[in-house]
């Protein structure tokens, strides 16, 4: 029996670089926190999607590439950027 995906969301927009190559954002592994899937991108964007519907509920630009999956502790989410910054969001 084949199962269908509950939802699908295409994250981020593709861009074309100077050499006409299509460049897509790279995303960290997601974490499930408070009913949201939260992940970061190499573009410095953090998004929170509703885990049931896939709708983007929040988006934050932190200005530094994020490739390592976040961790959750005591009501906060922690990200580490490629520039060795520790970013905490509540």
């Amino acid at each position: 029996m084949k199962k269908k995906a509950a939802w699908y969301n295409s994250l981020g927009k593709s861009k074309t670089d100077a050499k006409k190559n299509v460049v897509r954002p790279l995303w960290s592994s997601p974490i499930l926190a408070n009913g949201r899937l939260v992940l970061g991108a190499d573009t410095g964007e953090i998004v929170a999607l509703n885990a049931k519907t896939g709708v983007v509920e929040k988006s934050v630009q932190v200005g530094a590439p994020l490739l390592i999956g976040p961790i959750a502790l005591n009501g906060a989410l922690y990200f580490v950027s490629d520039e060795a910054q520790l970013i905490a969001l509540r």
Side-chain angles (χ1 to χ4, degrees), residues 37-82:
L37 288 171
V38 182
L39 55 160
D42 66 341
T43 60
E45 182 180 17
I46 296 172
V47 296
L49 296 93
N50 181 298
K52 289 185 180 181
T53 66
V55 172
V56 175
E57 293 184 349
K58 294 184 181 184
S59 176
V60 177
Q61 186 59 247
V62 295
L66 305 165
L67 294 174
I68 298 171
I71 62 167
L73 181 67
N74 296 330
L77 291 172
Y78 297 91
F79 293 82
V80 175
S81 77
D82 276 7

Side-chain angles (χ1 to χ4, degrees), residues 8-45:
Y8 174 84
N9 189 322
S10 181
L11 296 171
K13 295 181 181 178
S14 299
K15 296 179 182 178
T16 304
D17 67 11
K19 294 181 181 180
K20 306 283 184 192
N21 296 316
V22 175
V23 180
R24 294 178 179 87
L26 297 175
W27 293 91
S28 70
S29 299
I31 188 168
L32 180 62
N34 296 325
R36 294 184 181 111
L37 288 171
V38 182
L39 55 160
D42 66 341
T43 60
E45 182 180 17

